Amino acid sequence: MKFIYTFALVVAAQLCFSQQLPEELKGIDDDINHLIEQYNAVGLSVSIVKDNKIIYSQGFGYRDLENKLPVTANTVFPIASITKSFTGSLLGILESQNQVSLKEKPAFYIPEFKFFNEKMDNLITIEDLLSHKSGIGSQGTTLEFFPDNDKLKTVQRLKYLKPEGEIKNSFQYSNMGYILAGTIVEQITNKSWEKNIEEKIFKPLDMNNSYTTRSEMKKSNNYSFGYGLYKGNIEKVEFQKPYSLSPAGAINSTVNDMSKWIITWLNKGDFNKTQVIPKEYIHKATILQNSNGGNYEKEAFLLGDGFGWRLRSSYGHYRVEHGGNTFGFSTDLMMFPFENIGIVILTNQDNSLLPYMVGDNIVRRLFNLKSKPEYPVNVTEIFKPIPYKPLNKDKMPTHTLNSFCGTYEAKGFGKVEIVKEGDKLYAVLPTFKFQLEHLNYDSFFFKATKEFKYSFNPQFDIQFFSNTKGNITSLKLYSQKEPIEFNKE
């Protein structure tokens, strides 16, 4: 599949600017094509903004490899977690209209809402959600294994979910925190998060090729499929279903539309002489709200989060950035506010550092820095199920396989049904079915079956427990910091 980059040299999408290419960007196509070849990627689009204008905008490779359809600057990609900057902006807009205070607690806007404990209820504010210092953490198991389309129902699980970090004094990246932020938007406006994004951001910014759902995106005649690498080969990857995760990562857009988003932020919320995002919110969102720690090194004197943005010193300049990953896609958007520069890179390669390498090359050119001769190739291979293995005969289960069968429930998560089919056990979840492959005694792991088509690895350990009478009464799933206990009904 190394041939892809050669196609990009010939059929890459037309540039979306009329002025001559700046001197510092001459040869950039060759650099990008070289990186695409190194990464064995299928497609990529990139746009560069400087002084409120698009100075470079182009597509490379394919959006549909099978049918050889090219990527253009108007090809729609999932932007993944860059979505968070949009959700935060909705709350900034509502705050400017005196409909919400970012310093207020979530329960003020969501009736009967509670966190896991009173400390969280008393301390966590909306600002903490937007800057990842609520301590809530990712809570990935409940979101991935027990998804729900209803955002309100999803966040109401939080009263059962232990925090993963110290409240107000930790950095715990939290998709759940952004679902809660999006739910607050819905409760205040009596409109869906999706409708708010369309009305308050897409329309005023003329982002006419941007969508909040995959179904809308697929109505476009120019959207990208996702791909990943497995043992060096390119494979098509299923789209991730966002369910209630939408405020944290469901927007689909183009580099041309995202350039309008960049221009708005670099212009302190103004787009075409209309104040779309409040200037005060832009300021708060792009100053340090939560320190991310990290190693003490040259660029680490500024490293943390604002609201929906990662902040750091980079190349001796102040950088505002957010990347994103979703099944089959990797993205990055970075801005240098003092230099009035913004760059967005969208690629249809799963779990890849390619956008960051392309971004680094562009920034080095714009700042006249010494270029790197070669970049590291860092792509995490997509997951593939492994063949079935028989029971560990040296450490056989202490009960018959039928004894493990039944329905197990954990509040804040949901139900797992253990069933026996032939001589094998299976775990049936709301959206997945896994075989239980034996480890030792009463310990197994979720083994993906051949029907599992997603790119992430779901194979977590699971252990069954008995009461004093010898009956199986519970199981623990080891899928996050602390094991999750499911009790048998």
Side-chain angles (χ1 to χ4, degrees):
M1 308 306 279
K2 297 282 187 182
F3 68 88
I4 290 174
Y5 85 104
T6 59
F7 168 84
L9 286 167
V10 181
V11 196
Q14 293 184 354
L15 298 177
C16 295
F17 50 87
S18 56
Q19 65 267 43
Q20 190 164 348
L21 191 67
E23 185 67 30
E24 60 268 26
L25 291 179
K26 288 184 177 177
I28 188 65
D29 287 9
D30 292 337
D31 286 358
I32 293 174
N33 277 306
H34 178 61
L35 282 165
I36 291 172
E37 178 190 13
Q38 278 187 300
Y39 271 73
N40 199 13
V42 175
L44 177 145
S45 60
V46 58
S47 185
I48 306 170
V49 169
K50 184 171 173 56
D51 298 327
N52 297 328
K53 294 180 182 178
I54 297 175
I55 63 170
Y56 179 89
S57 183
Q58 185 148 342
F60 297 83
Y62 298 108
R63 64 181 176 87
D64 181 340
L65 179 58
E66 182 182 4
N67 295 300
K68 305 297 186 290
L69 300 178
V71 172
T72 74
N74 288 314
T75 296
V76 183
F77 290 79
I79 68 168
S81 284
I82 302 174
T83 299
K84 291 179 173 68
S85 61
F86 288 79
T87 297
S89 296
L90 286 180
L91 285 161
I93 292 168
L94 293 172
E95 185 177 49
S96 72
Q97 298 168 351
N98 297 317
Q99 296 187 62
V100 67
S101 168
L102 300 189
K103 296 188 179 298
E104 190 55 84
K105 300 173 183 63
F108 191 81
Y109 304 100
I110 303 178
E112 300 181 9
F113 175 81
K114 286 186 178 296
F115 286 110
F116 183 75
N117 56 42
E118 288 188 8
K119 182 178 180 182
M120 298 177 76
D121 291 335
N122 294 332
L123 292 181
I124 294 175
T125 66
I126 297 172
E127 287 184 336
D128 299 327
L129 304 178
L130 300 182
S131 59
H132 300 294
K133 63 179 180 181
S134 67
I136 293 171
S138 179
Q139 303 295 347
T141 301
T142 190
L143 296 177
E144 289 292 344
F145 282 173
F146 304 93
D148 196 305
N149 288 314
D150 190 314
K151 301 177 191 69
L152 181 58
K153 288 182 179 178
T154 298
V155 300
Q156 284 171 337
R157 298 177 184 178
L158 280 165
K159 61 185 173 182
Y160 302 112
L161 302 178
K162 293 181 180 179
E164 296 179 357
E166 188 178 348
I167 294 92
K168 286 192 175 290
N169 194 29
S170 65
F171 178 87
Q172 291 289 331
Y173 191 81
S174 181
N175 284 328
M176 181 65 89
Y178 269 83
I179 298 174
L180 181 51
T183 304
I184 292 169
V185 169
E186 293 187 340
Q187 292 295 302
I188 292 169
T189 62
N190 289 317
K191 293 181 180 179
S192 69
W193 171 86
E194 291 80 1
K195 197 70 175 175
N196 275 285
I197 289 289
E198 292 164 9
E199 292 179 353
K200 292 180 170 59
I201 295 178
F202 287 171
K203 286 183 180 178
L205 296 188
D206 296 328
M207 294 179 69
N208 299 318
N209 294 308
S210 298
Y211 310 94
T212 57
T213 67
R214 298 284 187 267
S215 59
E216 288 179 323
M217 178 189 76
K218 290 179 179 179
K219 293 177 184 177
S220 162
N221 61 3
N222 188 2
Y223 72 91
S224 178
F225 290 107
Y227 299 90
L229 292 180
Y230 184 70
K231 295 185 177 179
N233 296 315
I234 295 171
E235 299 200 13
K236 198 171 185 179
V237 172
E238 295 281 342
F239 285 105
Q240 185 173 7
K241 296 177 182 179
Y243 296 101
S244 59
L245 198 63
S246 47
I251 287 176
N252 312 280
S253 190
T254 71
V255 293
N256 278 343
D257 270 11
M258 291 302 293
S259 293
K260 298 171 185 177
W261 186 236
I262 289 172
I263 288 169
T264 303
W265 277 84
L266 293 177
N267 211 27
K268 295 181 172 58
D270 181 277
F271 184 77
N272 286 343
K273 297 183 180 180
T274 299
Q275 196 72 35
V276 179
I277 306 172
K279 187 175 181 180
E280 182 180 352
Y281 178 77
I282 295 281
H283 173 72
K284 290 191 293 187
T286 54
I287 61 173
L288 196 64
Q289 301 286 346
N290 188 18
S291 175
N292 195 3
N295 297 325
Y296 186 77
E297 52 192 29
K298 186 176 179 181
E299 300 282 5
F301 60 87
L302 170 62
L303 182 62
D305 273 52
F307 295 152
W309 296 109
R310 327 305 296 269
L311 312 177
R312 69 170 300 153
S313 169
S314 185
Y315 319 96
H317 300 267
Y318 173 49
R319 183 171 81 183
V320 177
E321 180 181 31
H322 213 296
N325 289 284
T326 184
F327 302 169
F329 299 89
S330 303
T331 66
D332 189 38
L333 186 156
M334 66 177 79
M335 298 181 290
F336 294 88
F338 296 121
E339 290 75 21
N340 212 14
I341 289 171
I343 304 161
V344 59
I345 305 111
L346 309 175
T347 183
N348 54 12
Q349 186 172 62
D350 186 80
N351 225 335
S352 173
L353 289 186
L354 177 59
Y356 299 92
M357 302 302 102
V358 172
D360 180 82
N361 184 286
I362 293 168
V363 171
R364 287 178 179 277
R365 285 171 163 275
L366 294 176
F367 290 154
N368 295 310
L369 302 173
K370 185 178 179 180
S371 61
K372 288 188 175 182
E374 289 294 334
Y375 286 95
V377 175
N378 193 327
V379 185
T380 302
E381 285 196 343
I382 60 176
F383 169 79
K384 289 279 190 177
I386 58 176
Y388 171 73
K389 294 180 182 179
L391 297 176
N392 182 346
K393 292 184 179 180
D394 293 329
K395 298 179 180 180
M396 291 290 283
T398 62
H399 293 68
T400 65
L401 295 186
N402 285 326
S403 300
F404 297 103
C405 295
T407 301
Y408 300 75
E409 182 177 14
K411 290 184 177 180
F413 296 90
K415 294 183 178 182
V416 178
E417 187 179 1
I418 306 298
V419 299
K420 182 173 177 285
E421 297 180 7
D423 61 348
K424 300 181 182 69
L425 290 176
Y426 291 85
V428 182
L429 287 77
T431 55
F432 298 110
K433 180 179 180 180
F434 300 117
Q435 181 192 319
L436 293 189
E437 180 146 314
H438 189 233
L439 291 170
N440 56 73
Y441 301 118
D442 296 337
S443 295
F444 301 77
F445 71 86
F446 280 175
K447 180 189 170 183
T449 64
K450 62 182 181 181
E451 288 76 28
F452 185 85
K453 302 296 184 184
Y454 297 96
S455 59
F456 74 99
N457 187 345
Q459 299 191 156
F460 297 107
D461 292 347
I462 182 172
Q463 185 177 11
F464 291 89
F465 293 87
S466 307
N467 60 17
T468 55
K469 296 180 180 179
N471 299 320
I472 299 290
T473 56
S474 65
L475 65 82
K476 286 185 178 180
L477 174 61
Y478 294 82
S479 58
Q480 45 192 56
K481 285 186 176 181
E482 293 186 21
I484 305 161
E485 184 171 352
F486 291 74
N487 293 307
K488 194 173 186 180
E489 293 183 345

